Amino acid sequence: MTGILRVVLADDDSLIRTAIDAILRPVDDIELVAQAADGRAAVELTVRHRPDVALLDIQMPVMDGLAALREIRRAAPAVRVIVLTTFGEDEYVTQALSGGAAGFLLKESAAEELAYAIRAAAAGNAYLSPRITRQVLDRMPATTVRPGPDQTLVEGLSSREREVLILLAQGLSNAEIAQQLFVSEGTVKTHVYRVFTKLNCENRVQAAMLAQRSGLLDPP
């Protein structure tokens, strides 16, 4: 992905829109081209501007973010959508991902994480906040793990890739994983990419759930 990434933002809170605008304004490769205060306007602006990425709040008037997501996926399927919200409930994550979202971020995410998520989404990848990955796993009921396809997939990982997968599933960010393993963040990103490829996963939640089902997270 080269050039400037164009973004449409939808949030009914003007302070949030101002804050995100302030975060993205200094970022050289990202341009905020339009802002909306409700879901219907978000759909209209996205269809009009055809941005690379649309950032959508969930709770908005006229049309909520999940409904706007579905409309955008129908009307402008090339636009990647990141759901940006103060909420981290797993039901929202499930609905957003099943609706075709390319990312799910909490509004309290760091500026660097927001920019990274936009770049990842525009490049065709999925991104979820590490905190959301951990929360989804915490809400999953405990199950007895038996040998199966998930374990076979995990066995295909290198020892370092398994370490990265375990830390990822514990909710650590790439930067935190790098600190734990005493490697660069770029090296961690490479390992995460390889883990996703080998496990046929699109995002951190899918990889973490597979790690849990395989028994990789069980105490020794």
Side-chain angles (χ1 to χ4, degrees):
M1 180 68 62
T2 59
I4 304 298
L5 300 178
R6 303 170 69 252
V7 176
V8 165
L9 167 65
D11 195 301
D12 62 332
D13 189 332
S14 61
L15 291 178
I16 294 295
R17 295 198 308 272
T18 299
I20 293 177
D21 181 39
I23 288 172
L24 296 180
R25 191 175 295 276
V27 182
D28 293 338
D29 61 336
I30 297 175
E31 178 187 4
L32 189 59
V33 296
Q35 300 183 34
D38 64 73
R40 173 55 62 192
V43 175
E44 293 172 353
L45 288 172
T46 299
V47 171
R48 183 189 310 166
H49 290 277
R50 302 285 171 159
D52 299 287
V53 176
L55 297 176
L56 303 181
D57 184 26
I58 285 185
Q59 294 197 351
M60 293 187 290
V62 184
M63 176 186 290
D64 66 35
L66 295 175
L69 164 64
R70 293 190 292 270
E71 289 290 325
I72 289 171
R73 295 301 297 154
R74 281 195 292 265
V79 176
R80 305 284 285 176
V81 178
I82 295 174
V83 175
L84 185 66
T85 179
T86 55
F87 300 90
E89 288 82 359
D90 53 347
E91 63 266 24
Y92 288 139
V93 177
T94 301
Q95 291 179 57
L97 295 178
S98 63
F104 200 105
L105 287 172
L106 298 179
K107 290 180 182 177
E108 62 195 56
S109 299
E112 296 81 3
E113 186 177 4
L114 175 59
Y116 178 83
I118 290 172
R119 295 185 188 108
N125 300 315
Y127 184 82
L128 285 89
S129 286
R131 274 190 56 195
I132 294 174
T133 300
R134 182 67 261 166
Q135 183 164 329
V136 171
L137 286 181
D138 287 343
R139 290 172 179 262
M140 289 178 61
T143 58
T144 301
V145 179
R146 297 186 177 92
D150 291 339
Q151 285 183 303
T152 302
L153 286 173
V154 169
E155 288 169 1
L157 300 177
S158 69
S159 58
R160 177 62 89 185
E161 289 164 353
R162 289 193 191 193
E163 288 180 309
V164 169
L165 176 57
I166 290 171
L167 294 174
L168 178 156
Q170 291 173 350
L172 274 66
S173 67
N174 287 349
E176 290 168 334
I177 294 173
Q179 188 174 25
Q180 286 266 8
L181 300 180
F182 301 101
V183 297
S184 70
E185 189 172 350
T187 297
V188 172
K189 290 178 182 178
T190 299
H191 286 312
V192 170
Y193 173 79
R194 289 174 179 167
V195 167
F196 285 2
T197 300
K198 290 183 178 181
L199 300 184
N200 194 27
C201 294
E202 295 184 354
N203 55 60
R204 302 174 86 90
V205 169
Q206 290 179 358
M209 291 175 67
L210 192 149
Q212 186 178 65
R213 291 196 303 266
S214 72
L216 196 60
L217 305 184
D218 293 344

